[in-house]
Amino acid sequence: MKVKPGDKVKILKDSLVTIKHKLQKDEVYTVIERVPYYEGVILISNGRHMLYVKEDEILLKTIQEKEKRFLKKDLKDGDIVTLRCGKKAIVKAPFLYIVKSDTSLNLDYYNDDFSSVFKDVGVNGFDIIKVERSLNFQTVYEEEKQILDDVEKRYLEAVLKPFKKDISSVTKEDSWVDEMEFIRIYLKDFSAISFPIFKKNTMYQGMENSRKYSVTELGLFS
């Protein structure tokens, strides 16, 4: 049996190859190389030992790495499949929705290997022959993230309403007390109003620390 570098082989019987080392049955080795100029001699390793052996002096069995088969159970919603007839369909379990058509096919009509049960009656145009999956989705729409939640917004609007036209900016800042923060309002006359402190990362979490926000950015009085 000809083996090649990279093949994994299993020892089928005990065999003494050196005075110090004996190959044990069922040990697994990797073929490192076929030795040039020495017909049938190979170098094998199990990560601990490297040995030169002759293929015809020991019994080796090549281990075939089991190829992972893509089966029906591996389909995901959003996958695009191509049918043998050329049509494409979108997966939304438990159905396939044919593109540009009102037709849908139940996945129960498919075997694990993507062949259609209709194939048994001579119709094979519905077999799935290709599966495509987008791994890099581009965002085409996303709702604008609100910096303040409704409770925070109502509170600030109620407190600031008497002098809303005088506000220059609003910030969230670290307090002199460890692990505490507070809201500070800067007015156009360069004065400021500081709100009571609160535990860090418990309120106004949408605001970046020390960044100056306008009332418009915060959605206040809109």
Side-chain angles (χ1 to χ4, degrees), residues 203-221:
M203 300 172 64
Y204 305 100
Q205 296 183 52
M207 296 180 67
E208 296 177 21
N209 198 275
S210 300
R211 174 179 168 180
K212 292 185 176 182
Y213 292 90
S214 67
V215 292
T216 301
E217 286 179 293
L218 295 176
L220 299 173
F221 310 113

Side-chain angles (χ1 to χ4, degrees), residues 112-126:
D112 284 343
D113 63 356
F114 299 119
S115 61
S116 167
V117 296
F118 301 118
K119 190 173 184 177
D120 297 337
V121 292
V123 180
N124 63 3
F126 294 106

Side-chain angles (χ1 to χ4, degrees), residues 59-134:
L59 293 176
L60 301 175
K61 178 183 178 183
T62 303
I63 301 173
Q64 300 294 338
E65 295 289 344
K66 186 176 180 181
E67 182 180 357
K68 186 181 183 307
R69 295 180 60 203
F70 193 87
L71 303 172
K72 184 174 75 170
K73 65 180 178 61
D74 298 314
L75 288 172
K76 293 184 179 181
D77 287 354
D79 285 350
I80 298 175
V81 304
T82 302
L83 305 181
R84 194 175 300 281
C85 63
K87 293 184 179 294
K88 290 184 179 291
I90 299 173
V91 178
K92 181 64 174 74
F95 295 102
L96 297 177
Y97 291 92
I98 309 296
V99 176
K100 296 181 180 179
S101 170
D102 295 329
T103 306
S104 63
L105 297 170
N106 196 310
L107 283 168
D108 289 340
Y109 296 156
Y110 286 86
N111 301 310
D112 284 343
D113 63 356
F114 299 119
S115 61
S116 167
V117 296
F118 301 118
K119 190 173 184 177
D120 297 337
V121 292
V123 180
N124 63 3
F126 294 106
D127 292 349
I128 295 173
I129 61 172
K130 185 178 181 181
V131 179
E132 297 172 279
R133 179 174 298 161
S134 177

